[in-house]
Amino acid sequence: MNDSSSIACSSHKLEVGILLAVNCVSAIATSLLNTLVIMAIWKTPALHTPSRYLLASLSILDLFNGCVVQPGFIGYLALLFADWCDTKYALLVTLHRLAYFCGAMSLYVMALMALDRLLVVKLLVAYRVVVTTRRVLIAVSGAVVIKAVIYSLIPAHFEILKLVGYIFSVLYLSAIIVFYAMAIVYLRRHSSLVSPTASDDQPAGDEVFSVCKYRKSFVTMVIVLASSLVAYVPVLCFFAVVRDLSLTRVLDVVRMLFVEILTALLTSLVNPIIYLWRMRDLRGATKSIIWCRD
C-alpha cells in the first residue's frame, strides 16, 4: 500500500465510521422489531389473513436484511475502517447481490400488498374467494425462487447487477403507484355502497365493507409506499447521475454506501415501526408477546 492510498483511506475513515455505527444499530433494531411483527402474526389466529401474511412476508425479508445483509456490510465496512484500501470487489458485489435480491423481493411484496388493497375495494364480496392465503403464499414463494435463480445467474459484474436492480425497482414502484391510483378510483365509485362498521379485509354481508377501516389500512400502505419512495428514489437517482462509479476506488464505494445504507437499507427498520404505529391489532398482539400474555 503506497502513501497516497493510505492518505486516501484515512480521509474517509470518519465517513466509514459513521456508516459502521449506523449499520450496527440499525441491524439490531431491524432484527428485533421484525421478529416481533412475525411472531405477533404467527401466534395470533385473528391475524391469519392474506393481507397479514403479505405483511409477514415483507417482515421476513426485512429480517433477512437485518440478520444477513446488514451484518455483511458491517464486516465490509470494518475492513474499510481498518484502512484496508483494497475495496474487495468480489465481496462487495456479493453483498450487493444479496441486497438487491432482498430489495427486489420487498418491492414485489409491496406491489402485492397494493394489489390486495385494490382487490378489496374492486371485488367486494368476491375478494374472499379470489384472494386466499394459499394463493398469497404461492405468489410470494414462487417469486423468491425465480428471483433467487435470476440473481444467482447474473455475472459478478456490478454494472449488470445494478441494471437488473434498476429495472425491478422501476417496474414494481410503477405497479404500486398504478394499483393505489386504481384503488382510489374504485373507492370513490363504490362510496355509496360502503358501511362504517364492517370488516377490514372481508366484506360484511353481501355488498358492503368497512370504509373507515379500509381507508385506515389504505393510508398505512400509502405511508409505507412513501417511505419506500424516499428510500429507493435517491438510490436510483444516484446511479442514474453518477456515470463513472468504480467499485475499485474507495471514494466511490464510500459515496455509494452512504446513499444505500442511509436510505434503502433503513427501510427495513422503518417498515415495522409504521406497522406497529398504524395497526392496532398488530400492536396489541405484539404487546401480548412482549408481556408474555396469552
Side-chain angles (χ1 to χ4, degrees), residues 75-244:
Y76 178 81
L77 289 167
L79 295 178
L80 290 183
F81 190 78
D83 282 352
W84 196 344
C85 282
D86 181 2
T87 59
K88 295 295 181 182
Y89 180 85
L91 174 59
L92 195 56
V93 170
T94 299
L95 291 173
H96 276 84
R97 192 188 300 270
L98 289 174
Y100 287 0
F101 163 78
C102 193
M105 274 305 306
S106 295
L107 288 175
Y108 170 77
V109 173
M110 289 176 60
L112 290 181
M113 295 169 76
L115 179 61
D116 175 74
R117 294 298 86 193
L118 168 61
L119 293 178
V120 169
V121 70
K122 179 180 179 179
L123 301 178
L124 298 178
V125 293
Y127 170 83
R128 299 171 62 179
V129 178
V130 174
V131 182
T132 64
T133 298
R134 180 174 177 272
R135 289 177 178 175
V136 166
L137 295 179
I138 290 175
V140 174
S141 59
V144 169
V145 174
I146 293 173
K147 285 185 174 55
V149 172
I150 291 175
Y151 276 97
S152 64
L153 294 178
I154 295 176
H157 193 285
F158 182 72
E159 291 300 321
I160 299 177
L161 192 64
K162 182 178 67 175
L163 177 61
V164 174
Y166 197 94
I167 293 173
F168 276 135
S169 298
V170 172
L171 176 64
Y172 291 139
L173 286 173
S174 300
I176 292 169
I177 294 173
V178 170
F179 289 150
Y180 281 133
M182 292 176 65
I184 293 174
V185 172
Y186 277 100
L187 180 60
R188 291 178 177 176
R189 183 178 301 175
H190 295 296
S191 60
S192 61
L193 300 176
V194 297
S195 166
T197 58
S199 170
D200 178 13
D201 295 330
Q202 302 175 352
D206 292 329
E207 298 184 15
V208 296
F209 69 100
S210 170
V211 62
C212 294
K213 290 185 177 180
Y214 176 83
R215 282 177 177 167
K216 184 175 181 179
S217 65
F218 183 87
V219 170
T220 299
M221 294 302 101
V222 170
I223 292 174
V224 173
L225 170 61
S227 172
S228 298
L229 289 175
V230 170
Y232 286 99
V233 170
V235 177
L236 296 177
C237 292
F238 175 81
F239 286 128
V241 172
V242 181
R243 299 290 185 177
D244 60 342

